[in-house]
Amino acid sequence: MPADPLHRAGKSQRSTTSQPPSGSGASAIEVRRSARRRRTVSAYREGDRTVVLIPARMSEAEEQRWVTVMLDKLAAQESKRLLGDTELAERAARLSDQYFGGRARPASVRWVTNQNTRWGSCTPAEGSIRLSHRLQGMPEYVVDYVLLHELAHLLVPGHGPRFWRLLEAYPRTERARGYLEGVVAADRLPHLSASDDE
C-alpha cells in the first residue's frame, strides 16, 4: 500500500478552518501538521488568525480536541494579560451590543477581590457590575459568559425564563457554566499533601 502523501516524513501540512468556536477571539484557525513534531502542541496568534502546531500523526479527533485546548489556553493568557477595569467595561459594552442590541448599559464594570463565593454581581439600581478576581486568567468565553449574565440582570431581575432566554443568544453558555461548575467541584475535592501520596 503506498504511503499517504499527506503524512510523508519531513513535510508539514496545513489545513485552515474559517469557523473557529464562538468566543475564541480569532476569525480563522490554521492547523499546521509537522512530521518533525513528536508530542508537543503549541499555538499563537498571527494577526486575526490562530495558528496551532501539532504532530502529523494526530487523528482528526485529537486535532479538534487540541485546537479547543489551545484556544482556551491562549484566551486565558490574553484575559490575564489584557483585562483591566477599563478593558472589562469596553468588553461589556461590546457584548451588550452583540447579544442584547446594546440595551444593557452598565454605569460601571470592575474587578473586585471580595467575592469569593460568587463569580459576579450586579446592582441594577446603580447599573454596577462587579466580577470576582478569581475569573482573571480563565478562558475568555468564561469571562464573557459571566459578563453577559450580569448584563442580563440589568434587563431582567432574577433567574426566571426571560432571563435564561436572553442568555440563549450566547452560544457558549452551557460550556462556560460547565467550566465554572468544574472549578467549584475541584475546589471541593480533598487536597492531598505530598506526605499523603507516599
Side-chain angles (χ1 to χ4, degrees):
M1 179 178 238
D4 180 354
L6 290 178
H7 296 93
R8 229 176 276 147
K11 301 276 186 182
S12 58
Q13 300 81 33
R14 295 180 182 193
S15 63
T16 302
T17 63
S18 58
Q19 298 297 322
S22 297
S24 68
S27 61
I29 301 167
E30 180 179 334
V31 177
R32 294 182 187 168
R33 291 175 171 267
S34 171
R36 288 182 296 188
R37 188 175 282 269
R38 296 285 179 219
R39 288 188 292 254
T40 61
V41 176
S42 61
Y44 59 92
R45 301 277 195 222
E46 193 173 77
D48 66 347
R49 174 174 64 151
T50 301
V51 177
V52 181
L53 307 169
I54 65 172
R57 62 174 175 70
M58 271 194 185
S59 69
E60 279 290 318
E62 288 175 308
E63 175 183 319
Q64 289 177 357
R65 184 177 72 81
W66 275 106
V67 165
T68 300
V69 165
M70 297 312 288
L71 287 174
D72 288 349
K73 190 178 252 188
L74 282 173
Q77 290 168 353
E78 291 164 354
S79 178
K80 183 184 275 186
R81 187 172 58 235
L82 299 174
L83 290 183
D85 287 349
T86 302
E87 293 85 4
L88 197 61
E90 290 168 356
R91 183 176 213 87
R94 282 194 305 273
L95 290 167
S96 176
D97 289 343
Q98 184 176 357
Y99 294 101
F100 303 146
R103 293 179 296 136
R105 288 286 174 210
S108 68
V109 182
R110 61 189 174 93
W111 295 107
V112 294
T113 57
N114 63 351
Q115 289 189 13
N116 294 315
T117 58
R118 296 192 280 182
W119 297 115
S121 62
C122 174
T123 307
E126 298 172 5
S128 63
I129 291 176
R130 294 158 307 280
L131 263 56
S132 171
H133 72 285
R134 296 178 304 139
L135 289 165
Q136 292 175 321
M138 288 190 188
E140 194 174 81
Y141 73 91
V142 176
V143 176
D144 285 353
Y145 164 73
V146 176
L147 270 174
L148 281 165
H149 185 105
E150 301 310 330
L151 286 166
H153 280 306
L154 293 176
L155 303 173
V156 178
H159 293 101
R162 281 183 54 226
F163 174 84
W164 291 112
R165 274 195 300 278
L166 279 175
L167 287 180
E168 285 175 3
Y170 184 57
R172 300 185 94 182
T173 290
E174 288 306 312
R175 185 169 183 203
R177 290 183 69 188
Y179 185 99
L180 293 171
E181 287 169 7
V183 170
V184 170
D187 284 347
R188 291 182 182 148
L189 291 174
H191 295 282
L192 298 176
S193 66
S195 62
D196 292 338
D197 291 339
E198 296 171 359

